[in-house]
Amino acid sequence: MSPSSYPSKLLENAVNEFAKLPGIGRKTALRLVLHLLKQEKEQVYKFADTVHHMRQEIMYCKSCYNISDSETCSICADMNRDHSTICVVESIRDVMAIESTQQFSGVYHVLGGVISPMDGIGPDDLTIAPLEEKIKNGSIKEVIFALSTTMEGDTTNFYLYKKFDKYNITTTTIARGVSIGDELEYTDEVTLGRSLINRLPFEKTI
Amino acid sequence: MSPSSYPSKLLENAVNEFAKLPGIGRKTALRLVLHLLKQEKEQVYKFADTVHHMRQEIMYCKSCYNISDSETCSICADMNRDHSTICVVESIRDVMAIESTQQFSGVYHVLGGVISPMDGIGPDDLTIAPLEEKIKNGSIKEVIFALSTTMEGDTTNFYLYKKFDKYNITTTTIARGVSIGDELEYTDEVTLGRSLINRLPFEKTI
């Protein structure tokens, strides 16, 4: 659709803004904008104000770099959690995924990505220095690596493992294996092989 | 994902707003919001302000009910167009679709939908009265029906046809037939049958 076919400049501007979002093309953007046009004005103002307000007010926890409404996020501020166990993750979404399992009672550290020379991301672009600072202070007992099982994730795991080797902490990584509900014949051979090597006494799994 | 797993109320509010848009679920909404969080503040403010501004300022053309930046849309205000030929469409999107063909030099009338008793939409919910007003005034020569070929579209066509029968105008409907590029064997029989009944002298199509 040629740009000149938009009947209104205001409409076109709004479509342009929506089309900048990931996975939203110009046709979808138009559909969303026309939907907003059909809504009550107050409803649309609320949408716009909520987005503006969020970007303006949101903070990153000064301890773990998770998204937060205050200087320290609710997880780091929770004294019932085990502050000697840190789970290192790539992004905020990983924090949410692990939190939704309700199986982890320690705290997090959000790296902000993984080391990826191809994308120009080196150790200094991540929050590795503050993590080391926390470990240096001596109250950390265990660091759990929960990064993606990609080449970059494994590289970052290894980099952190080497870096923190000199401190008196345990470093662990989350278990890799056959997903619950998966059939063996459809599991890739690397995962299946790893799950054999890392087999557990049966009584530990019941 | 349980609501309590959002690390920030601001984030959750923004996700809720995005998830109200059609075709956007909570996972997609979160992805869009986290994308906005990574953008520069100014960029996000622009997004929010553009949406707010659009809803606040946009108008509907008082003549054809198309979206417009002013009281009369650019199509109705264009004196080079044929104001005696009105193309009746359901929505603004149909205006844009027809405009992008560059084959129509008349003006439009946006009904705002089609008669659909199942959805509780009757003739009074559409802009039929102002359309009749325009026809009554006597300067209209032809009304083209360009509605969907659904049961509701056909019902509306017939309703309008009967209603405008008493006026001295030509009523036409856009041609239905085999799409250009389509193979006959994959064309549904109703369309194919209609395209045979409405066959044209070959020299008219070259």
Side-chain angles (χ1 to χ4, degrees):
Chain A
M1 208 173 286
S2 75
S4 63
S5 63
Y6 287 100
S8 147
K9 191 73 193 157
L10 293 163
L11 182 81
E12 191 179 347
N13 290 344
V15 169
N16 287 343
E17 286 299 321
F18 268 99
K20 283 180 195 163
L21 296 174
I24 308 273
R26 297 192 70 78
K27 288 229 166 182
T28 307
L30 177 62
R31 196 161 54 87
L32 297 179
V33 170
L34 290 180
H35 171 84
L36 286 177
L37 264 184
K38 275 195 224 145
Q39 306 304 304
E40 293 292 323
K41 280 190 177 181
E42 295 313 317
Q43 177 54 41
V44 179
Y45 296 167
K46 191 178 157 218
F47 172 87
D49 293 348
T50 305
V51 170
H52 189 289
H53 192 61
M54 174 205 64
R55 187 65 189 84
Q56 190 170 37
E57 300 289 330
I58 226 163
M59 286 189 266
Y60 292 89
C61 172
K62 65 179 177 174
S63 171
C64 73
Y65 297 91
N66 189 10
I67 278 175
S68 172
D69 290 344
S70 50
E71 279 208 333
T72 305
C73 76
S74 55
I75 295 172
C76 288
D78 184 351
M79 279 305 135
N80 290 322
R81 296 187 77 119
D82 172 12
H83 285 252
S84 67
T85 306
I86 295 187
C87 181
V88 178
V89 294
E90 275 175 59
S91 76
I92 292 140
R93 257 190 287 187
D94 299 332
V95 174
M96 291 170 66
I98 296 176
E99 278 298 285
S100 69
T101 69
Q102 304 190 332
Q103 295 292 327
F104 182 64
S105 61
V107 293
Y108 296 91
H109 188 88
V110 180
L111 279 186
V114 283
I115 296 169
S116 172
M118 295 283 278
D119 303 315
I121 301 172
D124 295 342
D125 299 314
L126 308 176
T127 61
I128 293 175
L131 175 60
E132 193 173 7
E133 207 57 40
K134 275 193 268 187
I135 294 168
K136 248 188 212 161
N137 291 343
S139 60
I140 309 299
K141 288 195 192 107
E142 181 178 356
V143 173
I144 305 168
F145 298 143
L147 305 179
S148 307
T149 40
T150 55
M151 173 85 88
E152 290 80 12
D154 287 344
T155 307
T156 312
N157 276 338
F158 194 70
Y159 177 88
L160 295 175
Y161 173 73
K162 281 283 169 200
K163 196 170 186 70
F164 301 154
D165 203 24
K166 55 180 179 281
Y167 302 109
N168 182 27
I169 54 165
T170 312
T171 48
T172 56
T173 177
I174 54 171
R176 311 298 184 182
V178 182
S179 287
I180 289 160
D182 266 15
E183 296 192 40
L184 286 201
E185 59 177 319
Y186 299 121
T187 305
D188 70 288
E189 56 266 43
V190 181
T191 303
L192 195 53
R194 192 90 82 89
S195 77
L196 272 171
I197 295 166
N198 298 332
R199 65 191 178 279
L200 292 171
F202 183 69
E203 59 270 25
K204 274 205 177 175
T205 65
I206 48 177
Chain B
M1 208 173 287
S2 74
S4 64
S5 62
Y6 288 100
S8 146
K9 191 72 195 157
L10 293 163
L11 182 80
E12 191 179 343
N13 290 344
V15 169
N16 287 343
E17 287 298 322
F18 268 100
K20 284 179 195 162
L21 296 174
I24 308 274
R26 297 192 70 78
K27 289 230 163 180
T28 307
L30 177 62
R31 196 161 54 86
L32 297 178
V33 170
L34 290 179
H35 170 86
L36 286 176
L37 265 184
K38 277 195 222 143
Q39 306 304 306
E40 293 292 324
K41 280 190 177 180
E42 295 313 316
Q43 177 55 41
V44 179
Y45 296 168
K46 192 178 156 216
F47 172 86
D49 293 349
T50 306
V51 170
H52 189 289
H53 194 60
M54 174 205 64
R55 188 63 188 85
Q56 189 169 40
E57 300 289 329
I58 227 164
M59 286 189 265
Y60 292 89
C61 172
K62 65 179 175 170
S63 170
C64 73
Y65 297 90
N66 190 9
I67 278 175
S68 172
D69 290 344
S70 50
E71 279 210 330
T72 304
C73 76
S74 56
I75 294 173
C76 288
D78 184 350
M79 279 303 135
N80 290 322
R81 296 186 77 120
D82 173 11
H83 285 251
S84 67
T85 305
I86 294 187
C87 181
V88 177
V89 293
E90 274 175 59
S91 77
I92 292 140
R93 257 190 286 187
D94 299 331
V95 174
M96 292 170 65
I98 296 176
E99 278 298 284
S100 68
T101 69
Q102 305 189 334
Q103 295 292 327
F104 181 64
S105 63
V107 293
Y108 296 90
H109 188 87
V110 180
L111 280 187
V114 281
I115 297 169
S116 172
M118 294 284 279
D119 302 316
I121 301 172
D124 295 342
D125 299 314
L126 308 175
T127 61
I128 293 175
L131 175 59
E132 192 173 6
E133 205 58 39
K134 275 194 267 185
I135 293 169
K136 249 187 211 165
N137 290 343
S139 60
I140 309 300
K141 288 197 192 109
E142 182 179 356
V143 173
I144 305 169
F145 298 143
L147 305 179
S148 307
T149 41
T150 55
M151 172 85 89
E152 289 80 14
D154 286 343
T155 306
T156 312
N157 276 338
F158 193 71
Y159 178 88
L160 294 177
Y161 172 72
K162 280 285 168 196
K163 197 171 184 68
F164 301 155
D165 203 24
K166 55 180 180 276
Y167 302 108
N168 183 27
I169 54 166
T170 311
T171 47
T172 56
T173 176
I174 54 171
R176 310 299 182 179
V178 182
S179 286
I180 290 160
D182 267 12
E183 295 191 42
L184 285 203
E185 56 177 320
Y186 299 120
T187 305
D188 70 286
E189 56 266 42
V190 180
T191 303
L192 194 54
R194 192 89 83 90
S195 78
L196 271 170
I197 294 166
N198 298 330
R199 65 190 180 276
L200 293 169
F202 182 69
E203 60 269 26
K204 274 205 175 176
T205 65
I206 47 174

